Amino acid sequence: MNDSLWPTGVQSAVALAFDVDGPTGGAMLDGSIWRNPSFFTLGAYGPWRAVGYLLDLLDDHRIPATFFVPTWVLETWPAQIKAIVDRGHEIGYHGHQHEAFWQLTRERQQQVMAQSLALFQRHLGLAPAGFRTPSGDWGGDTIEVLLDAGVTWSSSMRGDDRPYVIDHAASGRRLVEIPGKWELDDYASLAYQRAPDYPAGLDRIASYDTTFDNWRREFDGSHRDGLCLTTLFHPKVSGKPGRILLLERLFAHMRAQEGVWFARCGEVAQWWRERHLSAEGTA
Amino acid sequence: MSTTLGRWPAGKRMAFVVTVDFFDDAAILVQEPRMAGREKSLSVWQYGAKRGVDRLLDLFDALKLRTSWFVPGRVAQTHASLVQRIHRAGHEVGNATFACENFDTLTLAQQGDSLTRTQAVLADLIGERPTGFRAPFGNWAPGFTQHLRDAGIAWSSSWRGDDLPYFHPGAADTKPLIELPLHYELEDEPYFAFNLFPPIPVGQPRIASYREVLGNWQQDFAGFHRFGLCLPLRLHPEVIGTAGRIDLLREFLVGAMAHPDVWFATGGEVGAWWRSQHTGNAPGHPVDVLAPLHQPSVS
């Protein structure tokens, strides 16, 4: 443990994270969702119903988590999103209507961040410090937009199994990145919608048993190697009645191990910043 | 759990509605126009009328289960005696448009014609006007809800967005339309439908493992049971009614029926119960969020 990445007594970190996208995304951005009630209602199920199931489950297992919320969802279902905060979880930026930042001009990215901040302040009285890019991908100027907006950490990338630091060379400022993995994105196994087709090609909904087994093995490996596991779970996908039982098995399995640090992404980022940046005095 | 007490009649904990889309080859011809004239490929879907319907009726009879079927008008004309047999066996027969048209491509007036034409065909055939409706591809135009009510439709099972029944807005009468929302994971088609060319599904994934699909359904049932919800199972005779898959369905249903607190009912019964117990949706319901934005285009 002497080269552990984590505080004393901690073997590995778990920063559960949920993207409460609801019906936001491409079809809302191009307006087609307003003529697609089946797709709209499928997405709306997440904030409307599934978030409640998830909050109860997280309570049962005493696990804090991070929820990334497009602010269109916050405006539409403020009580459901406020419940996330009231029950001790963390909220992060996720665009307003799940805009793909890599396709936006710098000015448009700035507008989305400003609009989101105003809505978080109005409805929740808070300013998030963390951000998960809708669609993940960044434009060349995204890091500067985020730093200027006061964001100190992100969970947008994929390329590692522990946090790392992203430098903005021009200004010397830095973000802590907590990368996720497709392996722990519920879209990769469980999402299904026919028109528009997700996944494209309409692959089968995977077996819940084998999905649990995959996720459990990912956790076991991460814990063994002392890493940081985060998730890209979506209430509308894995917060459904049958799949809540899958998450319940996963959480119970993780809870049964010793030395797991269940933390919000912001706490992990804070630790990483102190541990890995304070010596250089640049945090 | 106190909120779920009294949600369903006679102390039942959850509702379970078995629905069957008897679409024959109508829906697949709309979904994949290249099917036209390809007799081998079409016969994959025509198998339902030939064998699948009988196999389902036998299973439901053995289990003493009453179910809700959706039939397009054209299919009812082609398979009149089969539809009458479904009705005589005690099952509910609902309207599934005339030819499984994709309503996204029709005007409101055309949608209304498809609906009323089918009401007439089915009423002739079974001696009563259907009260249930399913949009085969899930959508309808703004304003269609009023057409449904005018045609005598009391409930629909077409949209998504909840795990309990809800009220559609926009039907200006004292009997608003009830929706029994669907879930892809509780349908047979996303797991099992297959054709090599034209490719169905479009990306041509493997047919799912029967054993693992049964496991998913059993776990979905456990979740719906735990939370006291309304589970609508959506089946297709040509998909689930094969010699190998009917056993999967039997095992699933027998397992669910072993719970004495599950209310097995038709869609019409669940809709009527919900209407008798509620006057509207909880604030912020997805269908009410959508309503002001799902409006006729101004042009």
CSV table of all heavy atoms in Angstrom, one decimal, chain A residues 205-248:
chain,number,residue,atom,x,y,z
A,205,ILE,N,-30.7,-6.2,-26.5
A,205,ILE,CA,-30.5,-5.8,-25.1
A,205,ILE,C,-29.7,-7.0,-24.5
A,205,ILE,O,-30.1,-8.1,-24.6
A,205,ILE,CB,-31.9,-5.7,-24.4
A,205,ILE,CG1,-32.7,-4.5,-25.0
A,205,ILE,CG2,-31.6,-5.4,-22.9
A,205,ILE,CD1,-34.2,-4.5,-24.6
A,206,ALA,N,-28.6,-6.7,-23.8
A,206,ALA,CA,-27.8,-7.8,-23.3
A,206,ALA,C,-28.5,-8.4,-22.1
A,206,ALA,O,-29.4,-7.9,-21.5
A,206,ALA,CB,-26.5,-7.2,-22.8
A,207,SER,N,-28.0,-9.6,-21.8
A,207,SER,CA,-28.5,-10.3,-20.6
A,207,SER,C,-28.1,-9.5,-19.3
A,207,SER,O,-27.0,-9.1,-19.2
A,207,SER,CB,-27.8,-11.7,-20.5
A,207,SER,OG,-27.6,-12.1,-19.2
A,208,TYR,N,-29.1,-9.4,-18.4
A,208,TYR,CA,-28.8,-8.7,-17.1
A,208,TYR,C,-27.7,-9.5,-16.3
A,208,TYR,O,-26.9,-8.9,-15.7
A,208,TYR,CB,-30.1,-8.6,-16.3
A,208,TYR,CG,-31.2,-7.8,-16.9
A,208,TYR,CD1,-32.4,-7.8,-16.4
A,208,TYR,CD2,-31.0,-7.0,-18.1
A,208,TYR,CE1,-33.5,-7.0,-16.9
A,208,TYR,CE2,-32.0,-6.3,-18.6
A,208,TYR,CZ,-33.3,-6.3,-18.1
A,208,TYR,OH,-34.3,-5.6,-18.6
A,209,ASP,N,-27.8,-10.8,-16.4
A,209,ASP,CA,-26.9,-11.6,-15.6
A,209,ASP,C,-25.4,-11.4,-16.1
A,209,ASP,O,-24.5,-11.2,-15.3
A,209,ASP,CB,-27.2,-13.1,-15.7
A,209,ASP,CG,-28.1,-13.5,-14.6
A,209,ASP,OD1,-28.3,-12.8,-13.6
A,209,ASP,OD2,-28.7,-14.6,-14.7
A,210,THR,N,-25.3,-11.4,-17.5
A,210,THR,CA,-23.9,-11.3,-18.0
A,210,THR,C,-23.4,-9.8,-17.9
A,210,THR,O,-22.2,-9.6,-17.7
A,210,THR,CB,-23.8,-11.8,-19.4
A,210,THR,OG1,-24.7,-11.0,-20.2
A,210,THR,CG2,-24.2,-13.3,-19.5
A,211,THR,N,-24.4,-8.9,-17.9
A,211,THR,CA,-24.0,-7.5,-17.7
A,211,THR,C,-23.5,-7.3,-16.3
A,211,THR,O,-22.5,-6.7,-16.0
A,211,THR,CB,-25.2,-6.6,-18.0
A,211,THR,OG1,-25.6,-6.7,-19.3
A,211,THR,CG2,-24.9,-5.1,-17.7
A,212,PHE,N,-24.2,-7.9,-15.3
A,212,PHE,CA,-23.8,-7.8,-13.9
A,212,PHE,C,-22.4,-8.4,-13.8
A,212,PHE,O,-21.5,-7.9,-13.2
A,212,PHE,CB,-24.7,-8.6,-13.0
A,212,PHE,CG,-24.2,-8.8,-11.6
A,212,PHE,CD1,-24.0,-7.8,-10.7
A,212,PHE,CD2,-23.7,-10.1,-11.3
A,212,PHE,CE1,-23.5,-8.0,-9.5
A,212,PHE,CE2,-23.1,-10.3,-10.0
A,212,PHE,CZ,-23.0,-9.2,-9.1
A,213,ASP,N,-22.2,-9.6,-14.4
A,213,ASP,CA,-20.9,-10.2,-14.3
A,213,ASP,C,-19.8,-9.4,-14.9
A,213,ASP,O,-18.7,-9.3,-14.3
A,213,ASP,CB,-21.0,-11.6,-15.1
A,213,ASP,CG,-19.7,-12.4,-14.9
A,213,ASP,OD1,-19.4,-12.8,-13.8
A,213,ASP,OD2,-19.0,-12.6,-15.9
A,214,ASN,N,-20.0,-8.7,-16.1
A,214,ASN,CA,-19.0,-7.8,-16.6
A,214,ASN,C,-18.7,-6.7,-15.6
A,214,ASN,O,-17.5,-6.4,-15.4
A,214,ASN,CB,-19.6,-7.1,-17.9
A,214,ASN,CG,-19.6,-8.1,-19.1
A,214,ASN,OD1,-19.4,-9.3,-19.0
A,214,ASN,ND2,-20.0,-7.6,-20.3
A,215,TRP,N,-19.8,-6.0,-15.2
A,215,TRP,CA,-19.5,-4.9,-14.3
A,215,TRP,C,-18.8,-5.3,-13.0
A,215,TRP,O,-18.0,-4.6,-12.5
A,215,TRP,CB,-20.9,-4.2,-13.9
A,215,TRP,CG,-21.5,-3.5,-15.1
A,215,TRP,CD1,-20.9,-3.3,-16.3
A,215,TRP,CD2,-22.8,-2.9,-15.2
A,215,TRP,NE1,-21.8,-2.6,-17.2
A,215,TRP,CE2,-22.9,-2.3,-16.5
A,215,TRP,CE3,-23.9,-2.8,-14.3
A,215,TRP,CZ2,-24.1,-1.7,-16.9
A,215,TRP,CZ3,-25.0,-2.2,-14.7
A,215,TRP,CH2,-25.1,-1.6,-16.0
A,216,ARG,N,-19.2,-6.5,-12.5
A,216,ARG,CA,-18.6,-7.0,-11.2
A,216,ARG,C,-17.1,-7.2,-11.5
A,216,ARG,O,-16.3,-6.9,-10.6
A,216,ARG,CB,-19.3,-8.3,-10.8
A,216,ARG,CG,-19.1,-8.7,-9.4
A,216,ARG,CD,-18.0,-9.8,-9.3
A,216,ARG,NE,-18.3,-10.9,-10.1
A,216,ARG,CZ,-17.4,-11.8,-10.5
A,216,ARG,NH1,-16.1,-11.6,-10.1
A,216,ARG,NH2,-17.7,-12.8,-11.2
A,217,ARG,N,-16.8,-7.8,-12.6
A,217,ARG,CA,-15.4,-8.1,-12.9
A,217,ARG,C,-14.6,-6.8,-13.1
A,217,ARG,O,-13.4,-6.7,-12.7
A,217,ARG,CB,-15.3,-8.9,-14.2
A,217,ARG,CG,-15.7,-10.4,-14.0
A,217,ARG,CD,-15.7,-11.1,-15.3
A,217,ARG,NE,-16.3,-12.4,-15.2
A,217,ARG,CZ,-15.7,-13.5,-14.7
A,217,ARG,NH1,-14.4,-13.5,-14.5
A,217,ARG,NH2,-16.3,-14.7,-14.6
A,218,GLU,N,-15.2,-5.8,-13.7
A,218,GLU,CA,-14.5,-4.5,-13.8
A,218,GLU,C,-14.2,-3.9,-12.5
A,218,GLU,O,-13.2,-3.4,-12.2
A,218,GLU,CB,-15.4,-3.5,-14.7
A,218,GLU,CG,-15.4,-3.8,-16.1
A,218,GLU,CD,-14.1,-3.6,-16.8
A,218,GLU,OE1,-13.2,-2.9,-16.3
A,218,GLU,OE2,-13.8,-4.3,-17.8
A,219,PHE,N,-15.2,-4.0,-11.6
A,219,PHE,CA,-15.0,-3.5,-10.2
A,219,PHE,C,-13.9,-4.3,-9.5
A,219,PHE,O,-13.0,-3.7,-8.9
A,219,PHE,CB,-16.3,-3.5,-9.4
A,219,PHE,CG,-15.9,-3.4,-7.9
A,219,PHE,CD1,-15.7,-2.2,-7.4
A,219,PHE,CD2,-15.9,-4.5,-7.1
A,219,PHE,CE1,-15.3,-2.0,-6.0
A,219,PHE,CE2,-15.5,-4.4,-5.7
A,219,PHE,CZ,-15.2,-3.2,-5.2
A,220,ASP,N,-14.0,-5.6,-9.6
A,220,ASP,CA,-13.0,-6.5,-8.9
A,220,ASP,C,-11.6,-6.1,-9.4
A,220,ASP,O,-10.6,-6.1,-8.6
A,220,ASP,CB,-13.3,-8.0,-9.2
A,220,ASP,CG,-14.5,-8.4,-8.4
A,220,ASP,OD1,-15.0,-7.7,-7.5
A,220,ASP,OD2,-15.0,-9.6,-8.7
A,221,GLY,N,-11.4,-6.0,-10.7
A,221,GLY,CA,-10.1,-5.6,-11.2
A,221,GLY,C,-9.6,-4.3,-10.7
A,221,GLY,O,-8.4,-4.1,-10.4
A,222,SER,N,-10.5,-3.3,-10.8
A,222,SER,CA,-10.2,-2.0,-10.3
A,222,SER,C,-9.8,-1.9,-8.8
A,222,SER,O,-8.8,-1.3,-8.4
A,222,SER,CB,-11.4,-1.0,-10.6
A,222,SER,OG,-11.1,0.3,-10.1
A,223,HIS,N,-10.5,-2.7,-8.1
A,223,HIS,CA,-10.3,-2.8,-6.6
A,223,HIS,C,-8.9,-3.5,-6.3
A,223,HIS,O,-8.1,-3.0,-5.6
A,223,HIS,CB,-11.4,-3.5,-5.9
A,223,HIS,CG,-11.3,-3.4,-4.4
A,223,HIS,ND1,-11.3,-2.2,-3.7
A,223,HIS,CD2,-11.3,-4.4,-3.5
A,223,HIS,CE1,-11.2,-2.5,-2.4
A,223,HIS,NE2,-11.2,-3.8,-2.3
A,224,ARG,N,-8.7,-4.6,-7.0
A,224,ARG,CA,-7.5,-5.3,-6.9
A,224,ARG,C,-6.3,-4.4,-7.2
A,224,ARG,O,-5.3,-4.4,-6.5
A,224,ARG,CB,-7.5,-6.5,-7.8
A,224,ARG,CG,-6.2,-7.4,-7.7
A,224,ARG,CD,-6.1,-8.3,-9.0
A,224,ARG,NE,-6.1,-7.5,-10.2
A,224,ARG,CZ,-6.8,-7.8,-11.3
A,224,ARG,NH1,-7.7,-8.8,-11.3
A,224,ARG,NH2,-6.6,-7.0,-12.3
A,225,ASP,N,-6.4,-3.7,-8.3
A,225,ASP,CA,-5.2,-2.9,-8.7
A,225,ASP,C,-5.2,-1.5,-8.1
A,225,ASP,O,-4.3,-0.7,-8.4
A,225,ASP,CB,-5.3,-2.7,-10.2
A,225,ASP,CG,-4.9,-4.0,-10.9
A,225,ASP,OD1,-4.5,-5.0,-10.2
A,225,ASP,OD2,-5.1,-4.1,-12.1
A,226,GLY,N,-6.2,-1.2,-7.2
A,226,GLY,CA,-6.1,0.1,-6.5
A,226,GLY,C,-6.4,1.3,-7.3
A,226,GLY,O,-5.8,2.3,-7.1
A,227,LEU,N,-7.4,1.2,-8.2
A,227,LEU,CA,-7.7,2.3,-9.1
A,227,LEU,C,-9.0,3.1,-8.7
A,227,LEU,O,-9.4,3.0,-7.6
A,227,LEU,CB,-7.9,1.6,-10.5
A,227,LEU,CG,-6.7,0.7,-10.9
A,227,LEU,CD1,-7.0,0.0,-12.2
A,227,LEU,CD2,-5.4,1.5,-11.0
A,228,CYS,N,-9.5,3.8,-9.7
A,228,CYS,CA,-10.7,4.6,-9.5
A,228,CYS,C,-11.7,4.2,-10.5
A,228,CYS,O,-11.5,4.4,-11.7
A,228,CYS,CB,-10.4,6.1,-9.6
A,228,CYS,SG,-11.9,7.1,-9.5
A,229,LEU,N,-12.8,3.7,-10.1
A,229,LEU,CA,-13.9,3.3,-11.0
A,229,LEU,C,-15.0,4.4,-10.9
A,229,LEU,O,-15.5,4.7,-9.8
A,229,LEU,CB,-14.4,1.9,-10.6
A,229,LEU,CG,-15.6,1.3,-11.3
A,229,LEU,CD1,-15.4,-0.2,-11.4
A,229,LEU,CD2,-16.9,1.7,-10.7
A,230,THR,N,-15.4,4.9,-12.1
A,230,THR,CA,-16.6,5.7,-12.2
A,230,THR,C,-17.5,5.0,-13.2
A,230,THR,O,-17.2,4.1,-13.9
A,230,THR,CB,-16.3,7.1,-12.5
A,230,THR,OG1,-17.5,7.9,-12.3
A,230,THR,CG2,-15.8,7.3,-13.9
A,231,THR,N,-18.8,5.5,-13.2
A,231,THR,CA,-19.8,4.9,-14.1
A,231,THR,C,-20.4,5.9,-15.0
A,231,THR,O,-20.4,7.1,-14.6
A,231,THR,CB,-20.9,4.2,-13.3
A,231,THR,OG1,-21.4,5.1,-12.4
A,231,THR,CG2,-20.3,3.0,-12.5
A,232,LEU,N,-20.9,5.5,-16.1
A,232,LEU,CA,-21.8,6.4,-16.9
A,232,LEU,C,-23.1,5.6,-17.0
A,232,LEU,O,-23.5,5.0,-18.0
A,232,LEU,CB,-21.2,6.6,-18.3
A,232,LEU,CG,-19.9,7.3,-18.4
A,232,LEU,CD1,-18.7,6.3,-18.5
A,232,LEU,CD2,-19.9,8.3,-19.6
A,233,PHE,N,-23.8,5.7,-15.9
A,233,PHE,CA,-25.2,5.1,-15.8
A,233,PHE,C,-26.2,6.1,-16.0
A,233,PHE,O,-26.0,7.3,-15.6
A,233,PHE,CB,-25.4,4.4,-14.4
A,233,PHE,CG,-24.6,3.2,-14.2
A,233,PHE,CD1,-24.3,2.7,-12.9
A,233,PHE,CD2,-24.0,2.5,-15.3
A,233,PHE,CE1,-23.6,1.6,-12.7
A,233,PHE,CE2,-23.2,1.3,-15.0
A,233,PHE,CZ,-23.0,0.9,-13.7
A,234,HIS,N,-27.3,5.7,-16.7
A,234,HIS,CA,-28.4,6.7,-17.0
A,234,HIS,C,-29.7,6.2,-16.4
A,234,HIS,O,-30.1,5.0,-16.6
A,234,HIS,CB,-28.6,6.7,-18.5
A,234,HIS,CG,-27.3,7.1,-19.3
A,234,HIS,ND1,-26.2,6.3,-19.4
A,234,HIS,CD2,-27.0,8.3,-19.9
A,234,HIS,CE1,-25.3,7.0,-20.1
A,234,HIS,NE2,-25.7,8.2,-20.4
A,235,PRO,N,-30.3,7.0,-15.6
A,235,PRO,CA,-31.5,6.5,-14.9
A,235,PRO,C,-32.5,5.9,-15.9
A,235,PRO,O,-33.2,4.9,-15.5
A,235,PRO,CB,-32.1,7.8,-14.2
A,235,PRO,CG,-30.8,8.6,-14.0
A,235,PRO,CD,-29.9,8.3,-15.1
A,236,LYS,N,-32.7,6.5,-17.1
A,236,LYS,CA,-33.7,5.9,-18.0
A,236,LYS,C,-33.3,4.6,-18.5
A,236,LYS,O,-34.1,3.9,-19.1
A,236,LYS,CB,-33.9,6.9,-19.2
A,236,LYS,CG,-32.7,7.1,-20.1
A,236,LYS,CD,-32.9,8.1,-21.1
A,236,LYS,CE,-31.7,8.5,-21.9
A,236,LYS,NZ,-31.9,9.5,-22.9
A,237,VAL,N,-32.0,4.2,-18.4
A,237,VAL,CA,-31.5,2.9,-18.9
A,237,VAL,C,-31.4,1.9,-17.8
A,237,VAL,O,-32.0,0.8,-17.8
A,237,VAL,CB,-30.2,3.1,-19.6
A,237,VAL,CG1,-29.6,1.7,-20.1
A,237,VAL,CG2,-30.3,4.0,-20.8
A,238,SER,N,-30.6,2.2,-16.8
A,238,SER,CA,-30.4,1.2,-15.7
A,238,SER,C,-31.2,1.5,-14.4
A,238,SER,O,-31.1,0.7,-13.5
A,238,SER,CB,-28.9,1.1,-15.4
A,238,SER,OG,-28.4,2.3,-15.1
A,239,GLY,N,-32.0,2.5,-14.4
A,239,GLY,CA,-32.8,2.8,-13.2
A,239,GLY,C,-34.2,2.2,-13.4
A,239,GLY,O,-35.1,2.7,-12.7
A,240,LYS,N,-34.4,1.3,-14.3
A,240,LYS,CA,-35.8,0.8,-14.5
A,240,LYS,C,-36.0,-0.4,-13.5
A,240,LYS,O,-35.1,-0.9,-12.9
A,240,LYS,CB,-35.9,0.3,-16.0
A,240,LYS,CG,-35.5,1.4,-17.0
A,240,LYS,CD,-36.1,1.1,-18.4
A,240,LYS,CE,-37.6,1.2,-18.4
A,240,LYS,NZ,-38.1,0.9,-19.7
A,241,PRO,N,-37.3,-0.7,-13.4
A,241,PRO,CA,-37.6,-1.7,-12.3
A,241,PRO,C,-36.8,-3.0,-12.3
A,241,PRO,O,-36.3,-3.3,-11.2
A,241,PRO,CB,-39.1,-2.0,-12.6
A,241,PRO,CG,-39.6,-0.8,-13.3
A,241,PRO,CD,-38.5,-0.3,-14.1
A,242,GLY,N,-36.6,-3.6,-13.4
A,242,GLY,CA,-35.8,-4.8,-13.4
A,242,GLY,C,-34.3,-4.6,-13.2
A,242,GLY,O,-33.6,-5.4,-12.7
A,243,ARG,N,-33.9,-3.5,-13.7
A,243,ARG,CA,-32.4,-3.2,-13.8
A,243,ARG,C,-31.9,-2.6,-12.4
A,243,ARG,O,-30.7,-2.8,-12.1
A,243,ARG,CB,-32.1,-2.3,-14.9
A,243,ARG,CG,-32.4,-3.1,-16.3
A,243,ARG,CD,-32.5,-2.1,-17.4
A,243,ARG,NE,-32.8,-2.9,-18.6
A,243,ARG,CZ,-33.0,-2.3,-19.8
A,243,ARG,NH1,-32.8,-1.0,-19.9
A,243,ARG,NH2,-33.2,-3.0,-20.9
A,244,ILE,N,-32.8,-2.0,-11.7
A,244,ILE,CA,-32.5,-1.6,-10.4
A,244,ILE,C,-31.9,-2.8,-9.6
A,244,ILE,O,-31.0,-2.7,-8.7
A,244,ILE,CB,-33.7,-1.0,-9.7
A,244,ILE,CG1,-33.9,0.5,-10.1
A,244,ILE,CG2,-33.7,-1.1,-8.2
A,244,ILE,CD1,-32.9,1.4,-9.4
A,245,LEU,N,-32.5,-4.0,-9.8
A,245,LEU,CA,-32.1,-5.1,-9.1
A,245,LEU,C,-30.6,-5.5,-9.5
A,245,LEU,O,-29.9,-6.1,-8.7
A,245,LEU,CB,-33.0,-6.3,-9.4
A,245,LEU,CG,-34.5,-6.0,-9.1
A,245,LEU,CD1,-35.3,-7.3,-9.2
A,245,LEU,CD2,-34.7,-5.4,-7.7
A,246,LEU,N,-30.3,-5.2,-10.7
A,246,LEU,CA,-28.9,-5.4,-11.2
A,246,LEU,C,-28.0,-4.5,-10.4
A,246,LEU,O,-26.9,-4.9,-9.9
A,246,LEU,CB,-28.9,-5.2,-12.7
A,246,LEU,CG,-27.7,-5.6,-13.6
A,246,LEU,CD1,-28.1,-5.4,-15.0
A,246,LEU,CD2,-26.5,-4.7,-13.3
A,247,LEU,N,-28.3,-3.2,-10.4
A,247,LEU,CA,-27.5,-2.3,-9.6
A,247,LEU,C,-27.4,-2.6,-8.2
A,247,LEU,O,-26.4,-2.5,-7.5
A,247,LEU,CB,-28.1,-0.8,-9.8
A,247,LEU,CG,-28.0,-0.2,-11.2
A,247,LEU,CD1,-28.6,1.2,-11.2
A,247,LEU,CD2,-26.6,-0.2,-11.8
A,248,GLU,N,-28.5,-3.1,-7.6
A,248,GLU,CA,-28.5,-3.6,-6.2
A,248,GLU,C,-27.5,-4.7,-6.0
A,248,GLU,O,-26.8,-4.6,-5.0
A,248,GLU,CB,-29.9,-4.0,-5.9
A,248,GLU,CG,-30.1,-4.4,-4.4
A,248,GLU,CD,-31.6,-4.8,-4.2
A,248,GLU,OE1,-32.1,-5.7,-4.7
A,248,GLU,OE2,-32.2,-4.0,-3.4
